[in-house]
């Protein structure tokens, strides 16, 4: 859970290609899951047993009671090496029946004909979920949806109202668009004579998406983030860096290091969670007294959304039971129960409109929960499902060269897009 915002695949597509896991899967029926709901299946989660064991054991017991004759074997894998474990199982024909995946993990499995297409096999469930969440596991260039949406998140953005006031900015009106963000950041840098930066990290692929950059072509065959709007984004970040509005260590800073600078009040804005508010209250009471909560700026009207899903193994021997179980785990009742134990949010329609996600009770956790839930109704997953870690590294390196002034933004982005397209063709 703690790594939810940054956990991604470790180039699973490349591993699948090298191991030749598609051998023997060409005849798999990825479009139907007929049969009786009974028998044994294996359910795999991603680093959840230590904290949520009681919840999942109760969930499984409820399913087995509802469907007599079923048995669910639950396995939980550590976060470290999770993608490698999936690729090894895919190659060896031992992939579990129901697998916890993020969109970037499901993409290579869908291409290898190992992920069941729910649009064809279980279309009756589609309308139970937020449309943007259901679409999150669709793969460019392929028809279908390849995982049930499960839990969602979008990071709230904290800001320091005291620093905003000192810069002559309205502390009750934080920046909503990138234009407002850049203007406010430059003003804060000037007023503080470079002592206060507004941001502590350089833009990622999500920022390009929120800025309004077209990230890939419609067919999903090429990355296009080097278009003029993408170059414009980096040119504006370069100006922030030169003015001291972007922290000097932004190119190498970890989320933890950025968080410390925010707590030290040398950075005015930083993403976080409800757990951070508890930390501010104990370790930085002056910051806590002046904390503001907002959404990350965007030019699209749609915040970014992080998604976890449940994929049904199309090559499994008990697909009917696997579909029933994946739907059971992700139905409205069970997602709401899980949300009450975690800091994540359900992907089912109407859930975010309940009192739990809309009514304040004076506590910090509720304060963040309500603010975050309000943005998820309109949120989308900006990170392309076909973007591997190697591709993200190529983009990150280009961003660093451009913002630091080592290379013109257009040239740097063009090189990154070329490398990402080369890797895409190899996959």
């Amino acid at each position: 859970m703690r790594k939810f915002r940054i956990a991604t695949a470790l180039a699973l597509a490349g591993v699948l290609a090298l191991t030749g896991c598609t051998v023997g899967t060409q005849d798999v029926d990825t479009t139907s899951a007929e049969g009786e709901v009974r028998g044994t299946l294996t359910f795999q989660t991603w680093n959840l047993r230590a904290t949520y064991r009681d919840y999942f054991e109760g969930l499984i017991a409820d399913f087995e009671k509802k469907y007599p004759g079923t048995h669910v074997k639950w396995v939980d894998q550590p976060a470290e090496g999770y993608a490698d474990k999936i690729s090894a199982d895919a190659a060896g024909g031992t992939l579990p029946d129901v697998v916890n995946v993020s969109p970037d993990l499901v993409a290579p499995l869908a291409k290898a004909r190992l992920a069941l297409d729910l649009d064809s096999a279980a279309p009756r469930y589609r309308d139970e979920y937020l449309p943007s969440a259901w679409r999150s596991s669709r793969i460019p260039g392929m028809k279908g949806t390849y995982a049930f949406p499960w839990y969602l998140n979008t990071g709230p953005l904290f800001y320091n109202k005291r620093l905003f006031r000192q810069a002559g900015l309205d502390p009750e009106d934080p920046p909503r668009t990138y234009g407002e963000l850049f203007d406010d950041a430059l003003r804060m840098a000037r007023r503080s004579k470079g002592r206060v930066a507004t941001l502590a990290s350089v833009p990622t692929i999500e920022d390009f998406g929120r800025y309004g950059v077209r990230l890939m072509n419609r067919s999903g065959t090429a990355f296009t983030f080097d278009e003029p709007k993408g170059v414009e984004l980096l040119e504006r970040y370069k100006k922030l860096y030169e003015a001291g509005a972007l922290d000097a260590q932004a190119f190498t800073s970890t989320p933890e290091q950025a968080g410390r600078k925010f707590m030290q009040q040398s950075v005015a804005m930083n993403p976080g969670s409800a757990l951070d508010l508890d930390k501010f209250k104990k370790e930085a009471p002056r910051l806590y007294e002046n904390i503001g909560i907002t959404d990350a700026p965007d030019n699209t009207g749609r915040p970014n959304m992080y998604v976890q899903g449940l994929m049904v193994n199309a090559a499994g021997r008990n697909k009917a039971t696997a579909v029933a179980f994946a739907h059971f785990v992700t139905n409205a009742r069970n997602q709401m129960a899980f949300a009450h134990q975690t800091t994540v949010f359900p992907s089912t329609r109407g859930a975010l409109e309940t009192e739990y996600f809309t009514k304040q009770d004076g506590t910090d956790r509720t304060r963040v929960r309500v603010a975050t839930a309000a943005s998820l109704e309109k949120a989308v997953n900006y990170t392309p499902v076909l973007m591997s870690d190697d591709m993200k590294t190529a983009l990150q390196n280009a961003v660093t060269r451009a913002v630091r002034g080592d290379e013109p933004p257009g040239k740097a982005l063009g090189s990154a897009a070329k490398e990402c397209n080369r890797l895409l063709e190899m996959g």
Side-chain angles (χ1 to χ4, degrees), residues 395-413:
L395 177 59
Q396 180 184 5
N397 291 339
V399 167
T400 296
R401 296 195 304 272
V403 175
R404 199 166 53 193
D406 299 338
E407 190 174 20
K411 182 178 180 182
L413 268 191

Side-chain angles (χ1 to χ4, degrees), residues 130-139 144-145 147 149 302 379-381 385:
L130 294 171
S132 57
W134 185 265
R135 291 193 298 267
S136 66
S137 61
R138 288 180 176 169
I139 316 301
T145 297
R302 291 181 171 273
V380 296
N381 178 27
V385 298

Side-chain angles (χ1 to χ4, degrees), residues 307-361:
V307 189
Q308 289 288 309
L310 292 182
M311 185 202 84
V312 173
N313 180 3
R317 296 180 179 179
N318 201 356
K319 289 190 284 187
T321 304
V323 168
F325 180 73
H327 172 255
F328 184 79
V329 174
T330 62
N331 69 24
R333 177 177 176 273
N334 288 322
Q335 285 212 48
M336 184 64 79
F338 192 45
H340 275 69
Q341 297 193 28
T342 68
T343 56
V344 299
F345 300 82
S347 62
T348 49
R349 287 180 187 259
L352 300 177
E353 299 166 10
T354 61
E355 281 194 1
Y356 184 69
F357 294 109
T358 58
K359 188 175 181 179
Q360 297 283 1
D361 62 7

Side-chain angles (χ1 to χ4, degrees), residues 113-159:
R113 297 182 60 79
L114 288 172
L116 189 70
D117 170 18
L118 301 177
D119 282 335
S120 298
R124 60 193 179 280
Y125 298 130
R126 181 189 304 124
D127 291 341
E128 296 181 20
Y129 303 88
L130 294 171
S132 57
W134 185 265
R135 291 193 298 267
S136 66
S137 61
R138 288 180 176 169
I139 316 301
M142 297 181 66
K143 292 182 179 180
T145 297
Y146 293 93
F148 281 99
W150 193 9
Y151 55 90
L152 312 176
N153 217 334
T154 183
L157 188 64
F158 293 125
Y159 68 99

